[in-house]
Amino acid sequence: MRSPSSSFGLRRHPGARAAPSLLFLLTVALVVTGMVLGYRWSLRSGLADLAALANERLELYASTLETDLARYAHLPSLLALDEDVQALLEAPKDEARRERASLKLARVNVRAGSMLLVVAGPDGEPLAASDRHRGESDAAEVARLAARLAAEAGGEPTEFFASNATDGTTDYTYVQPVRRGGVLRGRIVVRLSLAPLEATWVDLGQRTSSEKLMVVDHNDVVIMSSVPAWKYRMLGSVDVEGLMASGRYAGAALAPLGMSVEGPADNGATLVRVADVQTAGRSLHLAQQRPLLPLAVRLVTLSDPTEVRRQARLAAWGGGAAGGLLGLLAMYLLYRRRALQQLFRARNALQQAHDQLERQVDERTRELRQTNEELKRQIGQRLQAEDELMQAGKLAVLGQMSAGISHEINQPLTALRALSRNTRLLLEAGRTQAVADNLRLIDDMAERMGRITSQLKSFARRGGGAMQVHGPVDLRASLDNVLLLLEHRLRAERVQVAVTVPEGTLVHGEPNRLEQVLLNLLGNALDAMAHVAERRLAVRASREGEGEQARVWLQVADSGAGMTDAQMARLFEPFFTTKPAGQGLGLGLVISSKIVREFGGTLRARRVEGGQGAGMVFEFDLASASKETYV
């Protein structure tokens, strides 16, 4: 359909075609202006807020540092008044007074929580120290440094920061001269470790997105920082040789930090760029500092303005959107009819897509529900099958040992019958002592038979579907129970057994399942040595690590024929066995590996050193346990 203007042969005015272009240019100009103003306003406001927040935290950090150090400010003066210290300064060469003063310093050091207390003579040599067992070199070094810096301070009480050459931490030292009659008798030196406070700063900086913190001394050297890589970096160009000669930075590798000033910000803050030691890049920070005049240092915080700049970019987009609103509104009115038509079409298409999506979601939900039910059923079947395979493995091992165990029980039964008949004859003859000896032998044999049958019944008992940890398991007791079941076979096959498992070795696990693993490993070792002349079986246990991370390693080594590479590759496959047909199911190592994995360990196999054919070693690790863990 033609428009009315076309029907009457009218032509459009050129301004009608230029109007959209002018509106578009106007909209672009408003967007650019709004973005610039929004970015600048948001950046300035955000930096001001960030500076205010960082200033509050800077005051908190400064107060914390001053408070921690002020707690020990009185300690040198109190030590100077101590009777043992005064007596030592009166007779500095008296060894008995040195020992008494050192003991007194050690007790005070423990109670006060300081790092080192030293009583030094006028020449800076230590007379007594709180930690003489660590060696007098530390005390001498601290005392000489304190004497030199005290002399630079005119002999007055002084305090200073210094690096610890042993571990690279920063210490704080108080020096108190002791005078009698105007004559310098000695000095009291109190050294404090700032490592705990610095570790708190480092941990806080790693766990949160808070600002980075530095303590800079009067030489422009960073002596403390929440960023370990910044420690002992220089903010300016300083004479490194002169600083090292001062003795304050022993063991420290001084190097420039690489900080450059970008420009000022509000609230006394400064924008700086700092070189990243790890990435070799330069990141922008908002720097603020607060001088701590009593400590002759200044506290510097570097806040990350990334979030502020991100908010500024968002504000720029918002300003651009607001600036282009009028132009967009004009363009909207111009194209209102076309936009409405597109809106209706889009709404209809969206509704159709929404309906189709809901149908697909419903269908997919039903499929997932069915798949989930099927997966649960398969998991249940798998757990049941694993439980039955474990029980079958137990019964298979018991079946292989049945002949030997029957022989073990028949021998005591035969002896019991003979001893019983003999006892009746002895009783009739009135030989009571011989009767008592026979009864004691009968009791020992009955006790042995009871242990064997009790262990068989405990081992054959079906375990639960999931691993149940009832408490710490005595590894040596479990091994002894397994060796009792295999005793007849070890004796019949003349196997040399070497057990190196300390008594009272406790591990996390469940006794019955742990014994099943040991019985499988020992039984396999005996089978592997069936056709060799020299049969040696070694069981060793060792402990690695300390505390909650401690592990106990158990090794079962045999002198059998070993395995080939092809057999080693399939060792833990279900139903794979190297034994003749009818003598193994191929499930023992699979079940043992699963049990050890549920205990939190790993079962491994390797050849004995010496190459193929020199025997095998099976080993696994379990978490070490203690009785206190389960109290």
Side-chain angles (χ1 to χ4, degrees):
M1 178 182 298
R2 295 191 302 174
S3 62
S5 59
S6 299
S7 302
F8 290 99
L10 299 176
R11 299 181 59 186
R12 291 190 177 180
H13 194 276
R17 292 193 300 268
S21 299
L22 293 176
L23 287 174
F24 177 77
L25 293 177
L26 178 60
T27 302
V28 171
L30 291 174
V31 167
V32 172
T33 303
M35 291 181 67
V36 172
L37 294 177
Y39 181 83
R40 291 183 177 179
W41 174 83
S42 178
L43 182 61
R44 183 173 181 178
S45 176
L47 289 178
D49 294 341
L50 182 61
L53 179 61
N55 187 56
E56 294 178 0
R57 293 184 177 178
L58 186 63
E59 294 295 333
L60 179 61
Y61 286 130
S63 176
T64 301
L65 180 59
E66 290 177 336
T67 301
D68 285 352
L69 296 180
R71 291 190 296 120
Y72 300 92
H74 66 283
L75 187 57
S77 301
L78 294 179
L79 289 175
L81 299 177
D82 184 77
E83 296 179 356
D84 293 332
V85 174
Q86 293 180 359
L88 174 61
L89 294 179
E90 293 295 332
K93 296 184 179 181
D94 191 336
E95 290 297 329
R97 295 187 180 186
R98 285 191 173 194
E99 186 65 25
R100 285 197 301 273
S102 296
L103 293 176
K104 175 63 71 63
L105 293 179
R107 289 194 295 268
V108 173
N109 188 59
V110 171
R111 294 176 181 175
S114 54
M115 182 180 178
L116 181 66
L117 304 179
V118 181
V119 177
D123 55 356
E125 292 300 319
L127 303 178
S130 62
D131 192 0
R132 301 187 67 182
H133 298 290
R134 191 174 61 181
E136 297 184 358
S137 60
D138 292 346
E141 181 180 354
V142 173
R144 285 193 290 270
L145 178 61
R148 186 170 65 205
L149 296 181
E152 295 177 0
E156 296 299 324
T158 184
E159 53 195 73
F160 57 88
F161 290 90
S163 66
N164 193 320
T166 303
D167 53 13
T169 60
T170 301
D171 302 330
Y172 193 75
T173 304
Y174 288 97
V175 183
Q176 174 68 41
V178 180
R179 293 184 173 86
R180 294 292 184 273
V183 179
L184 179 65
R185 295 299 181 89
R187 295 181 181 88
I188 307 298
V189 181
V190 178
R191 171 159 279 200
L192 312 175
S193 175
L194 300 179
L197 178 60
E198 190 174 19
T200 302
W201 292 352
V202 173
D203 181 65
L204 182 62
Q206 291 177 347
R207 289 189 293 107
T208 64
S209 58
S210 61
E211 61 281 343
K212 298 176 176 60
L213 187 65
M214 296 188 301
V215 178
V216 184
D217 64 4
H218 62 285
N219 292 323
D220 281 342
V221 177
V222 180
I223 56 176
M224 293 178 65
S225 176
S226 62
V227 180
W230 291 355
K231 195 169 182 179
Y232 298 118
R233 298 279 180 169
M234 301 179 298
L235 299 186
S237 58
V238 188
D239 181 12
V240 177
E241 294 182 359
L243 293 180
M244 298 303 296
S246 68
R248 292 173 178 263
Y249 312 101
L254 300 179
L257 179 59
M259 177 186 293
S260 61
V261 178
E262 292 290 317
D266 292 338
N267 295 332
T270 305
L271 288 173
V272 298
R273 287 195 178 272
V274 182
D276 194 329
V277 180
Q278 296 179 348
T279 62
R282 294 176 62 82
S283 55
L284 184 66
H285 293 83
L286 182 68
Q288 285 184 289
Q289 63 179 1
R290 181 186 186 278
L292 303 179
L293 298 180
L295 305 180
V297 297
R298 67 182 188 271
L299 201 60
V300 180
T301 59
L302 299 179
S303 303
D304 187 1
T306 302
E307 181 63 23
V308 174
R309 299 178 71 182
R310 188 182 72 85
Q311 294 294 335
R313 287 192 294 270
L314 294 178
W317 287 109
L325 180 61
L326 294 177
L328 293 176
L329 181 59
M331 294 178 67
Y332 168 76
L333 295 175
L334 183 63
Y335 294 101
R336 181 172 180 276
R337 180 174 299 178
R338 183 183 302 177
L340 287 176
Q341 292 175 352
Q342 293 177 352
L343 178 62
F344 290 141
R345 287 195 297 267
R347 181 180 299 173
N348 293 334
L350 181 61
Q351 184 63 39
Q352 293 176 0
H354 178 72
D355 296 339
Q356 184 179 1
L357 180 60
E358 285 188 346
R359 289 194 299 270
Q360 292 178 353
V361 169
D362 292 339
E363 293 175 359
R364 186 58 178 168
T365 301
R366 287 194 298 270
E367 293 176 359
L368 290 176
R369 187 178 296 109
Q370 295 173 357
T371 304
N372 189 30
E373 295 297 331
E374 179 64 20
L375 182 60
K376 289 181 180 179
R377 185 184 64 81
Q378 292 178 1
I379 291 175
Q381 291 178 350
R382 177 179 174 274
L383 293 176
Q384 182 179 1
E386 288 181 354
D387 185 49
E388 292 176 354
L389 285 177
M390 288 186 185
Q391 190 66 15
K394 287 185 181 180
L395 297 179
V397 174
L398 292 177
Q400 295 174 7
M401 298 188 305
S402 60
I405 294 175
S406 176
H407 177 71
E408 285 291 312
I409 295 179
N410 284 335
Q411 276 188 338
L413 287 176
T414 304
L416 286 175
R417 286 195 296 270
L419 288 173
S420 298
R421 294 169 183 169
N422 189 25
T423 300
R424 282 175 17 189
L425 297 176
L426 293 174
L427 188 60
E428 293 175 357
R431 297 172 60 184
T432 57
Q433 183 60 39
V435 170
D437 293 341
N438 284 355
L439 291 176
R440 187 161 44 253
L441 290 175
I442 292 172
D443 182 66
D444 292 342
M445 292 181 181
E447 178 66 22
R448 175 178 175 80
M449 293 170 59
R451 289 200 306 270
I452 293 175
T453 56
S454 175
Q455 183 60 24
L456 281 174
K457 182 170 61 176
S458 174
F459 181 75
R461 183 176 64 248
R462 180 182 294 271
M467 193 260 301
Q468 300 292 331
V469 179
H470 300 293
V473 180
D474 192 329
L475 183 59
R476 180 57 186 267
S478 297
L479 180 60
D480 291 341
N481 292 336
V482 173
L483 291 175
L484 177 63
L485 292 176
L486 297 174
E487 183 178 2
H488 66 285
R489 189 173 176 186
L490 296 172
R491 187 169 57 252
E493 298 178 7
R494 298 181 181 179
V495 179
Q496 301 177 15
V497 182
V499 177
T500 312
V501 180
E503 297 285 349
T505 301
L506 302 180
V507 296
H508 288 281
E510 193 272 326
N512 189 259
R513 292 156 68 87
L514 179 59
E515 291 176 10
Q516 182 177 358
V517 174
L518 295 175
L519 187 58
N520 281 331
L521 297 181
L522 295 178
N524 288 345
L526 294 179
D527 293 338
M529 297 185 295
H531 302 291
V532 297
E534 187 176 359
R535 300 165 182 167
R536 298 186 308 275
L537 178 63
V539 184
R540 297 182 293 269
S542 61
R543 178 187 175 96
E544 294 183 0
E546 296 295 337
E548 296 181 355
Q549 305 299 325
R551 308 289 294 180
V552 175
W553 283 86
L554 184 75
Q555 296 181 345
V556 178
D558 62 70
S559 60
M563 292 185 181
T564 64
D565 292 336
Q567 291 173 339
M568 290 283 290
R570 301 183 58 193
L571 191 58
F572 292 98
E573 291 183 6
F575 303 106
F576 172 76
T577 178
T578 59
K579 301 176 183 178
Q583 295 187 14
L585 298 177
L587 295 175
L589 288 179
V590 177
I591 294 173
S592 299
S593 178
K594 180 179 182 298
I595 293 175
V596 172
R597 188 164 56 252
E598 290 179 351
F599 287 166
T602 304
L603 178 61
R604 304 180 181 89
R606 58 181 174 85
R607 298 189 185 95
V608 177
E609 295 183 2
Q612 186 170 318
M616 293 292 296
V617 175
F618 287 85
E619 60 184 5
F620 61 89
D621 61 310
L622 297 175
S624 179
S626 61
K627 293 183 178 179
E628 291 77 7
T629 305
Y630 294 85
V631 173

